[in-house]
């Protein structure tokens, strides 16, 4: 038996493994891969698979519980697969089946991260950064087959302490030992190669622990039936954490190391120059030569045989990029991570969802956009049945993580109107997401529906449910919405947090507006929305007292949402409750001044407060005994809706101007940031209009001096004679 300890997705491990397999000529390879991946491996048509790909394993009864095991050209597991199929020998996955991990009730409990344990072992040997050490000593160098002998001895010594291991690791290793024992009983195998992660390799000898102990461990594990299939993958996804420690920071870089190592820095710099030229950045050949020479020089100075990653990066930034960081960001995305997209050939036909996707694209005349990857804007009129179907289709794809279409931010119409503007552009990443979504169903609609139904069970929190309901309606998934209503009613009755209740009411109100547009009976939602709004109106005033400025600002935004929400309903009961709530907030001196000013504005616009009463409230708020900061916050609340009222009511304008003018220098400095923030909420056009209006006010009426020029303002500040009229506030704002 030959124990070959590797690092998953390690280019040096892959090179060494390739050489070792050629030398030892095994007649069977046992590889660390879930045992239930065997169907996918046995029916593999090697000539149709082009990495990066992944083995997808899922429970057909609970498709959301799925695991993906990525493979790249530099993955040692892929090297094992290639060797086995090229030489016609068995390839046997020996790791614990994914089915065991898919059932939390029976799955072994993870109590410790094995990577953390390995880091501790390395630190005990004086190696502070295990990953960098392993990269430098194993993955970035060329090794003989003796490497695996040293790795085995190293890990056998370090893994002698079984007390430090997690339950998951111990059970997995017991399962692998048992699989090795079973294969040893088959006399037909003379030379066995065992390829697993280096961390496990030292404890996989069949006699490391007696068989009885291993069977006792494994007796606690129950597995479910799973389905395994091949799906394409991308380097972008390889760079994310998934399956056996995938999460290679720079997969494109690892591919370069696998093929060329560090012996050819000139090749890497030439590829970098080509990437930049495609971005229309002119890179002459001389920069490639200079970069190569600098990298080699840096390596010699640092006592290295070949330049490493740091040397290449420094040489690139100094010579090729001329210290422009944006160039390195391009290289990171295009070359270090890479844009490689895998292929699974005829295995793609195993995924009916792709056929459904293509047929719907053709029906909507959007198939060419996927082929050419062009960007196109598409305007939809939801009163046309086909346009409504397209909108629902694009929203269904969002549930699958396929953002082929995005609602344009520049669209002038609201999503609740009859018009939508979509920006369409295809990316190969979406192909992977589509096939992953195919685990849930054979069509885009059925997969999206299954995802929503699963989310209803796993995300019972109120705001998550309301968002899910709204997006389900956009996608035309009315059946899950009906099943969601009982859970939603329960959450509404149990939730007391107004920061959740108010956004939920707003979202549900928006959903109600989709009734006619989206062909959905929104009457089912009205009782829930009504219940929510009644609770909010009754309890809201108590939420506005004894609060700080940040919470008051948040509450003001919620009041704005509620005001719009309640106005959507032509229900006298709700409107009266809302009016009572606003009046209660406005008449309570303990309410935050920001909210007092805001509610004064709302009640004035609603004609609940007369013009005379409005003047009295203004005078009381600005000339009373409150602190100057509270008065300025009151002004900020009042001005939150804009300056329009001041253009038609000179008296209110004078009240604010006089308040500012009467401040002493210390008060003025205290409230200046708040006042400027208050007026900055309005458009520059309105501020300019107000500025011009103020300059025409007679000094006798205003009681304030004319506005001073900027140099005079600065001069006054030096003399602590600060400008204290509204013109001085507006002037720096433009």
């Amino acid at each position: 038996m030959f124990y070959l300890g590797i690092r998953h997705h390690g280019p040096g491990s892959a090179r060494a493994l390739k050489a070792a397999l050629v030398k030892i000529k095994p007649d069977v390879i046992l590889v660390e891969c879930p045992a239930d991946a065997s169907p996918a491996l046995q029916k593999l048509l090697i000539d149709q698979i082009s990495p990066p790909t992944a083995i997808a394993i899922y429970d057909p009864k609970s498709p959301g519980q799925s695991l993906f095991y990525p493979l790249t050209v530099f993955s040692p597991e892929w090297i094992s697969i290639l060797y086995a199929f090229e030489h016609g020998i068995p390839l046997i996955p020996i790791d614990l089946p994914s089915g065991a991990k898919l059932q939390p009730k029976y799955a072994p409990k993870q109590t410790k991260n094995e990577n953390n344990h390995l880091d501790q072992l390395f630190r005990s040997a004086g190696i502070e950064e295990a990953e960098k050490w392993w990269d430098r000593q194993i993955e970035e160098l060329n090794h003989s087959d003796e490497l695996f002998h040293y790795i085995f001895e190293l890990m056998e010594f370090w893994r002698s302490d079984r007390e430090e291991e997690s339950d998951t690791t111990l059970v997995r290793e017991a399962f692998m030992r048992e699989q090795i024992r079973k294969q040893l009983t088959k006399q037909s195998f003379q030379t066995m190669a065992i390829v697993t992660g280096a961390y496990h390799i030292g404890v996989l000898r069949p006699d490391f622990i007696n068989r009885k102990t291993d069977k006792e461990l494994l007796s606690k594990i129950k597995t479910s039936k799973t389905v395994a299939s091949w799906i394409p993958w991308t380097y972008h996804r390889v760079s994310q954490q998934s399956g056996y420690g995938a999460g290679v920071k720079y997969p494109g870089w690892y591919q370069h190391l696998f093929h060329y190592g560090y012996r050819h820095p000139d090749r890497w710099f030439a590829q970098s120059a080509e990437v930049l030229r495609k971005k229309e950045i002119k890179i002459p050949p001389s920069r490639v030569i200079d970069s190569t020479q600098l990298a080699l020089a840096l390596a010699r100075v640092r006592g290295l045989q070949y330049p490493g990653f740091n040397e290449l990066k420094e040489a690139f930034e100094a010579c090729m990029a001329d210290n422009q960081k944006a160039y390195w960001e391009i290289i990171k995305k295009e070359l270090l991570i890479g844009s490689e997209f895998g292929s699974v050939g005829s295995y793609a036909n195993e995924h009916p969802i792709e056929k459904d996707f293509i047929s719907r694209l053709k029906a909507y005349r959007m198939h060419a956009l996927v082929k050419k990857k062009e960007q196109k804007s598409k305007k939809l009129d939801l009163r046309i049945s086909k346009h409504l179907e397209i909108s629902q289709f694009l929203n269904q794809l969002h549930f699958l993580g396929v953002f082929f279409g995005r609602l344009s931010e520049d669209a002038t119409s609201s999503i609740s109107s009859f018009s939508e503007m979509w920006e369409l552009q295809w990316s190969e990443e979406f192909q992977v997401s589509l096939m992953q979504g195919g685990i849930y169903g054979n069509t885009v609609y059925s997969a999206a529906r299954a995802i929503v139904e699963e989310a209803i069970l796993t995300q019972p929190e109120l705001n998550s449910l309301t968002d899910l309901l709204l997006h389900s309606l956009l996608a035309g998934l009315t059946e899950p919405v009906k099943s969601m209503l009982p859970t939603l009613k329960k959450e509404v009755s149990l939730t007391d947090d107004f920061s959740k209740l108010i956004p939920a009411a707003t979202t549900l109100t928006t959903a109600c507006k989709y009734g006619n547009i989206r062909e959905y009976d929104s009457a089912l939602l009205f009782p829930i929305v009504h219940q929510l709004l009644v609770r909010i109106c009754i309890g809201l005033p108590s939420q506005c007292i004894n609060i700080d400025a940040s919470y008051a600002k948040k509450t003001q935004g919620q009041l704005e949402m509620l005001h719009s929400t309640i106005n959507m309903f032509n229900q006298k009961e709700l409107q009266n409750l809302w009016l009572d709530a606003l009046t209660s907030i406005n008449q309570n001196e303990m309410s935050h001044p920001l909210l007092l000013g805001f509610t004064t504005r709302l009640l004035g616009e609603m004609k609940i407060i007369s013009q005379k009463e409005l003047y009295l409230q203004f005078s009381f708020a600005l000339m009373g005994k409150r602190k100057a900061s509270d008065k300025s916050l009151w002004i900020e609340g009042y001005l939150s809706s804009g300056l329009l009222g001041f253009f038609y009511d000179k008296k209110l304008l004078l009240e604010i101007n006089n308040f500012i003018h009467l401040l002493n220098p210390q008060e003025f400095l205290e409230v200046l940031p708040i006042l400027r923030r208050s007026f900055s909420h309005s458009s520059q056009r309105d501020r300019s209009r107000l500025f011009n209006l103020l300059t025409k006010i007679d000094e006798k009426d205003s009681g304030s001096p004319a506005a001073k020029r900027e140099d005079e303002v600065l001069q006054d500040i030096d003399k602590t004679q600060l400008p204290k009229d509204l013109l001085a506030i507006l002037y720096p704002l433009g």
Side-chain angles (χ1 to χ4, degrees):
M1 285 191 298
F2 292 86
Y3 289 90
L4 308 174
I6 51 90
R7 185 171 76 175
H8 303 293
H9 311 294
S13 298
R15 284 197 309 271
L17 178 63
K18 190 174 183 179
L21 291 175
V22 170
K23 183 176 181 179
I24 65 181
K25 295 181 174 60
D27 51 9
V28 63
I29 298 177
L30 277 57
V31 65
E32 182 186 344
C33 185
D36 47 359
S38 184
L41 291 172
Q42 298 309 318
K43 64 180 181 180
L44 175 62
L45 300 174
I46 198 72
D47 59 326
Q48 295 192 18
I49 297 289
S50 177
T53 58
I55 301 175
I57 305 177
Y58 62 95
D59 184 344
K61 294 181 180 178
S62 182
Q65 307 259 358
S66 54
L67 295 170
F68 303 93
Y69 297 90
L71 294 167
T72 67
V73 292
F74 54 82
S75 298
E77 296 87 347
W78 179 250
I79 298 300
S80 301
I81 292 171
L82 279 178
Y83 185 90
F85 280 86
E86 287 172 358
H87 293 80
I89 64 172
L91 179 74
I92 302 172
I94 61 169
D95 199 0
L96 191 70
S98 296
K101 300 172 188 176
L102 301 177
Q103 295 196 54
K105 180 179 178 181
Y106 301 113
K109 185 179 179 182
Q110 180 79 42
T111 58
K112 198 175 190 71
N113 188 310
E114 65 182 40
N115 290 330
N116 291 340
H117 183 205
L118 189 58
D119 286 342
Q120 292 172 10
L121 294 173
F122 272 94
R123 279 195 291 273
S124 67
I127 300 168
E128 288 299 321
E129 297 184 70
E131 282 295 316
K132 286 187 177 180
W133 179 88
W134 189 277
D135 263 337
R136 198 66 177 165
Q137 300 300 323
I138 307 295
E139 305 306 336
E140 298 173 358
L141 300 176
N142 291 321
H143 296 280
S144 67
D145 58 297
E146 290 294 316
L147 170 70
F148 294 110
H149 174 71
Y150 298 138
I151 290 175
F152 182 84
E153 288 190 341
L154 180 66
M155 292 301 170
E156 188 177 37
F157 171 74
W158 272 345
R159 290 295 310 281
S160 58
D161 182 10
R162 296 182 68 251
E163 298 297 324
E164 294 294 323
E165 299 311 324
S166 68
D167 290 346
T168 299
T169 300
L170 293 177
V171 172
R172 285 180 61 203
E173 290 168 349
F175 187 88
M176 286 192 273
R177 279 192 297 270
E178 186 60 18
Q179 295 302 303
I180 293 170
R181 293 185 187 111
K182 288 180 180 179
Q183 298 307 322
L184 283 173
T185 60
K186 297 182 179 181
Q187 299 299 321
S188 57
F189 297 142
Q190 302 298 319
T191 307
M192 185 181 298
I194 301 166
V195 180
T196 70
Y199 187 79
H200 307 293
I201 203 72
V203 298
L204 294 186
R205 287 183 290 103
D207 59 349
F208 182 78
I209 295 174
N210 65 70
R211 193 170 190 176
K212 183 179 179 182
T213 302
D214 280 346
K215 285 193 171 183
E216 287 177 358
L217 271 175
L218 297 174
S219 65
K220 302 174 183 179
I221 303 301
K222 291 187 178 181
T223 61
S224 60
K225 289 185 178 181
T226 59
V227 175
S229 63
W230 290 92
I231 64 171
W233 212 248
T234 66
Y235 271 4
H236 174 70
R237 288 173 183 258
V238 172
S239 68
Q240 301 169 342
Q241 195 69 27
S242 173
Y244 287 128
V248 176
K249 188 175 182 180
Y250 297 133
W253 168 246
Y254 266 27
Q255 178 177 305
H256 173 84
L257 285 182
F258 174 68
H259 288 303
Y260 309 110
Y262 280 117
R263 294 176 182 270
H264 299 284
D266 53 333
R267 179 183 288 272
W268 188 81
F269 285 119
Q271 289 177 321
S272 300
E274 184 180 356
V275 167
L276 293 176
R277 287 170 190 147
K278 288 179 179 178
K279 299 290 183 181
E280 298 184 356
I281 300 171
K282 295 180 180 180
I283 303 294
S286 59
R287 288 198 185 184
V288 176
I289 296 170
D290 291 344
S291 299
T292 303
Q293 290 176 344
L294 179 57
L296 292 169
L298 288 171
R300 285 194 298 272
V301 169
R302 294 167 182 175
L304 304 173
Q305 187 177 5
Y306 299 105
F309 181 82
N310 290 334
E311 288 71 38
L312 294 178
K313 180 183 178 183
E314 290 172 24
F316 173 88
E317 290 178 334
C319 295
M320 192 173 294
D322 198 22
N323 291 318
Q324 295 197 44
K325 294 183 179 180
Y327 288 8
W328 179 251
E329 293 302 315
I330 293 172
I331 294 301
K332 268 176 35 177
K333 180 181 177 182
E334 302 293 333
L335 192 59
L336 296 180
I337 294 177
S339 56
E340 277 78 356
F341 180 80
S343 172
V344 293
S346 61
Y347 292 104
N349 297 328
E350 294 181 0
H351 302 273
I353 193 170
E354 187 172 25
K355 294 180 180 178
D356 174 67
F357 174 70
I358 292 172
S359 68
R360 292 185 71 177
L361 283 180
K362 290 179 178 178
Y364 303 141
R365 297 182 179 180
M366 296 191 295
H367 191 232
L369 294 176
V370 172
K371 281 189 173 182
K372 299 177 182 178
K373 302 181 181 64
E374 294 177 344
Q375 184 174 358
K376 183 179 179 181
S377 298
K378 191 173 185 68
K379 187 174 183 179
L380 301 178
D381 184 341
L382 303 184
R383 292 169 294 186
I384 302 171
S385 59
K386 179 162 275 191
H387 284 204
L388 178 59
E389 286 179 21
I390 293 172
S391 175
Q392 291 173 340
F393 171 63
L394 293 172
N395 279 291
Q396 289 163 17
L397 288 173
H398 286 188
F399 282 109
L400 279 61
V402 180
F403 297 96
F404 171 43
R406 296 179 186 270
L407 275 173
S408 173
E409 294 180 2
D410 298 328
T412 55
S413 58
S414 167
I415 57 171
S416 60
S417 75
F418 288 108
S419 180
E420 288 183 343
M421 181 67 75
W422 289 84
E423 298 297 332
L424 306 172
Q425 187 168 26
W426 182 255
S427 167
E428 287 179 329
E429 278 286 322
F430 301 153
Q431 183 77 16
V432 179
S433 298
L434 182 67
M435 288 197 173
Q436 284 181 292
I439 290 171
Y440 286 88
N442 293 335
T443 65
V444 171
Y445 176 86
S446 63
R449 177 177 173 176
I451 290 171
V452 171
E453 288 172 344
E454 182 178 83
I456 294 171
L457 301 175
T458 58
Q459 299 178 11
E461 195 270 328
L462 180 59
N463 293 138
S464 297
L465 276 175
T466 52
D467 288 341
L468 187 64
L469 182 144
L470 179 59
H471 289 104
S472 298
L473 289 178
L474 291 174
L477 304 172
T478 54
E479 295 87 348
V481 168
K482 292 177 182 177
S483 64
M484 199 186 304
L485 294 180
T487 307
L488 189 59
K489 289 178 182 177
K490 180 182 176 182
E491 287 302 311
V492 166
S493 63
L494 294 176
T495 303
D496 294 322
D497 187 348
F498 275 72
S499 66
K500 294 180 180 179
L501 289 173
I502 294 173
T506 304
T507 303
L508 289 175
T509 302
T510 306
C512 288
K513 290 167 62 180
Y514 292 136
N516 295 330
I517 304 168
R518 302 282 170 173
E519 299 179 357
Y520 170 71
D521 183 10
S522 55
L524 295 171
L525 294 176
F526 283 137
I528 301 176
V529 179
H530 187 273
Q531 177 189 353
L532 257 176
L533 292 174
V534 168
R535 287 187 61 199
I536 291 168
C537 288
I538 293 172
L540 189 59
S542 63
Q543 303 293 312
C544 299
I545 60 175
N546 298 323
I547 57 177
D548 60 22
S550 62
Y551 191 84
K553 190 67 180 173
K554 182 179 178 181
T555 304
Q556 180 196 327
Q558 293 173 341
L559 288 172
E560 287 178 315
M561 285 194 297
L562 281 170
H563 190 62
S564 299
T565 297
I566 290 174
N567 284 338
M568 292 179 196
F569 291 94
N570 189 21
Q571 291 189 4
K572 193 170 182 180
E573 179 193 357
L574 281 177
Q575 290 173 342
N576 287 338
L577 283 171
W578 177 237
L579 179 59
D580 290 343
L582 289 177
T583 304
S584 178
I585 295 169
N586 188 253
Q587 292 178 353
N588 190 338
E589 291 187 8
M590 297 181 69
S591 296
H592 194 277
L594 182 79
L595 302 179
L596 287 173
F598 178 71
T599 52
T600 298
R601 175 68 172 257
L602 278 184
L603 291 169
E605 290 176 350
M606 297 165 69
K607 308 298 183 185
I608 304 301
I609 296 178
S610 66
Q611 199 71 6
K612 183 178 180 181
E613 190 177 352
L614 183 60
Y615 294 149
L616 288 173
Q617 287 208 24
F618 242 87
S619 297
F620 178 76
L622 300 184
M623 301 305 170
K625 295 181 180 180
R626 294 185 180 186
K627 295 186 296 184
S629 59
D630 286 348
K631 296 174 184 178
S632 58
L633 285 167
W634 192 97
I635 294 173
E636 182 179 3
Y638 188 86
L639 293 178
S640 60
S641 299
L643 303 174
L644 187 63
F646 288 151
F647 301 142
Y648 303 100
D649 197 328
K650 184 178 176 182
K651 190 170 182 179
L652 294 181
L653 186 59
L654 293 178
E655 288 280 2
I656 293 181
N657 203 46
N658 285 332
F659 157 67
I660 296 170
H661 183 63
L662 293 173
L663 293 171
N664 63 48
Q666 185 177 357
E667 289 175 327
F668 183 75
L669 284 174
E670 181 183 352
V671 304
L672 182 61
I674 302 174
L675 291 170
R676 284 194 173 158
R677 183 175 69 232
S678 302
F679 285 94
S680 67
H681 293 160
S682 302
S683 68
Q684 185 173 351
R685 180 181 177 182
D686 282 350
R687 292 199 304 269
S688 298
R689 185 179 173 188
L690 184 62
F691 186 89
N692 293 330
L693 180 63
L694 280 167
T695 58
K696 297 175 183 178
I697 293 178
D698 187 81
E699 288 188 15
K700 293 180 182 179
D701 293 333
S702 66
S704 75
K708 304 178 181 182
R709 295 182 179 275
E710 188 173 12
D711 55 346
E712 294 173 341
V713 170
L714 292 173
Q715 191 177 32
D716 282 347
I717 289 175
D718 290 339
K719 296 177 180 179
T720 68
Q721 298 296 320
L722 297 170
K724 296 174 295 184
D725 58 3
L726 192 52
L727 283 168
I729 304 295
L730 290 171
Y731 184 80
L733 297 174

